[in-house]
Amino acid sequence: IEGGENPGVLTFTSTADVGMKVPARLTFNNANVVVKGATSALTMERFLMRHALFLNKSSVKFTGDGASQTIAGCSTVDLTRSILASPENAAFNEDLGTYAIDGTAVTAPLVFNKLNYGLKICGVEVTDENCDDLSVIDGVTGSVRYSPKFNSLVLENATISTGDAMMYAIDYNSPNNDSFYIRVHGTCNVLSRQICIGYGGKGDYSSYIYIGSDATLNLGAPETTSGNTIAAIYESAPKRISIVGSYGTSSKLNITTKGRGIWGEFDENKDLYISSIIANINSENHCVSGFGDMYIKGGYVKTPWKAQYDKSLNGIALNGALVKGNLVISPFDQPGLYINGVLMPSTT
């Protein structure tokens, strides 16, 4: 069952029998479908491998009489860009050939929703139709595109600005725990009165910001507004945020905000990883806070002197207090043994 552009809803209803009987595989592709049966919604020939159910970018609701199995006889179910929305705790049971909860076949409606990419730019959802050129979105200039294959947002000499609106500039809510990548080339600006880059959705995924060779990423409030950025980078879901530059080059992250710099919604199992970048954070609130752990590879906190990650405070601190004001993280100037940011002589 194939849906076209902006598909409507196709409904199958049986008042005397099952909604659909299928002798082979059944595929829903980019479709919106409702299947209603007087007993079960869908039956197939159980255990034959060709009797599989495929949902691709589709929203499908299966409804039966509430007493019979909602669907029956499926050898496998394959979901691509679709997700089971209800019942939330149901899972496909191969032995039963249907969805089940604690070993009991589901008799309630099974609802599958089309899965979007979970990404919004200046409040506009990224879709198949606009992902190749996101400069069509108000507030976006330069080259900005999204690759569904790699779940990657690519910025090249670009500006993403929300102007006076209170919204996230880049808002990612993971729909399926896939790692998310932002790749920066040239000089790029991500500006918002609220959150410049925000991460949410299902937890336990990893997020990466790659700042390319001699590239610069600037985060802060739009120049045209008197508003203040609440946070430059905010995470409420990922298990790790990695901010990585190109080794041996000048990859820069500049943050200017009256709010927070890099802010995590504290969880002892979530951490921040920084490598091969020059990070210059100017924040009237905490520069880096809310992370269960933090790793700086090949670098150190240059300013303020002797500041470092404090596990008891879950952020970068100095003298028992989280750092506010100016924080600079820098790669080491040359290989060697460093103690508190000082290169030890070879004779030591």
Side-chain angles (χ1 to χ4, degrees):
I1 298 176
E2 181 92 19
E5 185 176 350
N6 299 319
V9 178
L10 176 62
T11 301
F12 296 88
T13 303
S14 173
T15 57
D17 203 342
V18 298
M20 298 180 74
K21 288 184 179 179
V22 182
R25 62 183 285 170
L26 173 61
T27 300
F28 297 93
N29 187 40
N30 192 36
N32 297 323
V33 178
V34 176
V35 182
K36 301 178 180 179
T39 53
S40 296
L42 169 69
T43 60
M44 306 176 84
E45 293 294 330
R46 185 179 174 186
F47 301 131
L48 296 179
M49 290 306 296
R50 69 178 184 272
H51 298 123
L53 176 62
F54 295 84
L55 277 75
N56 178 42
K57 295 190 297 182
S58 294
S59 297
V60 183
K61 181 178 181 179
F62 296 101
T63 303
D65 60 3
S68 308
Q69 291 183 195
T70 307
I71 64 173
C74 296
S75 57
T76 60
V77 175
D78 185 281
L79 303 179
T80 303
R81 295 272 311 276
S82 295
I83 190 170
L84 178 67
S86 177
E88 289 186 358
N89 53 344
F92 185 74
N93 186 310
E94 292 185 3
D95 294 332
L96 297 177
T98 187
Y99 278 85
I101 300 175
D102 297 330
T104 301
V106 170
T107 58
L110 284 167
V111 181
F112 297 86
N113 287 341
K114 178 180 178 179
L115 200 62
N116 60 25
Y117 296 124
L119 176 62
K120 292 183 179 180
I121 305 295
C122 294
V124 178
E125 187 170 345
V126 174
T127 66
D128 293 333
E129 288 71 33
N130 65 12
C131 66
D132 290 335
D133 181 10
L134 295 170
S135 67
V136 298
I137 297 173
D138 287 343
V140 179
T141 59
S143 176
V144 182
R145 63 188 185 277
Y146 170 75
S147 169
K149 180 177 181 181
F150 299 105
N151 200 24
S152 177
L153 181 68
V154 182
L155 286 64
E156 186 170 357
N157 294 317
T159 293
I160 299 174
S161 175
T162 63
D164 288 326
M166 285 295 291
M167 65 176 67
Y168 289 30
I170 298 175
D171 185 6
Y172 180 70
N173 287 275
S174 171
N176 52 11
N177 283 341
D178 286 346
S179 295
F180 176 61
Y181 303 84
I182 297 175
R183 303 181 186 275
V184 177
H185 304 285
T187 299
C188 297
N189 309 292
V190 180
L191 311 173
S192 172
R193 291 180 59 196
Q194 189 174 22
I195 304 293
C196 298
I197 302 175
Y199 300 96
K202 293 187 176 180
D204 295 330
Y205 67 92
S206 295
S207 61
Y208 300 86
I209 299 175
Y210 287 110
I211 302 176
S213 176
D214 298 321
T216 299
L217 176 61
N218 300 311
L219 306 179
E223 294 181 358
T224 56
T225 178
S226 60
N228 303 319
T229 303
I230 296 173
I233 300 175
Y234 170 68
E235 76 83 23
S236 62
K239 62 182 178 182
R240 167 175 284 191
I241 293 178
S242 297
I243 307 174
V244 180
S246 179
Y247 179 75
T249 71
S250 179
S251 301
K252 297 178 181 178
L253 170 66
N254 298 319
I255 293 175
T256 303
T257 171
K258 292 186 178 181
R260 298 174 186 255
I262 304 175
W263 180 26
E265 191 171 280
F266 175 68
D267 184 322
E268 63 181 8
N269 297 315
K270 296 177 180 180
D271 57 62
L272 174 65
Y273 176 88
I274 293 178
S275 175
S276 302
I277 66 166
I278 301 170
N280 191 342
I281 303 174
N282 290 281
S283 173
E284 293 188 9
N285 209 310
H286 304 145
C287 293
V288 176
S289 62
F291 293 92
D293 214 335
M294 179 177 178
Y295 307 91
I296 303 175
K297 182 179 179 181
Y300 67 110
V301 178
K302 187 175 182 178
T303 303
W305 182 241
K306 293 187 178 181
Q308 58 185 336
Y309 174 79
D310 187 322
K311 196 170 184 65
S312 66
L313 296 175
N314 311 120
I316 293 181
L318 178 65
N319 298 327
L322 289 168
V323 171
K324 301 178 181 180
N326 180 238
L327 172 71
V328 179
I329 298 174
S330 175
F332 291 127
D333 296 327
Q334 56 182 299
L337 172 63
Y338 287 77
I339 297 178
N340 284 337
V342 178
L343 177 64
M344 297 293 102
S346 59
T347 55
T348 301

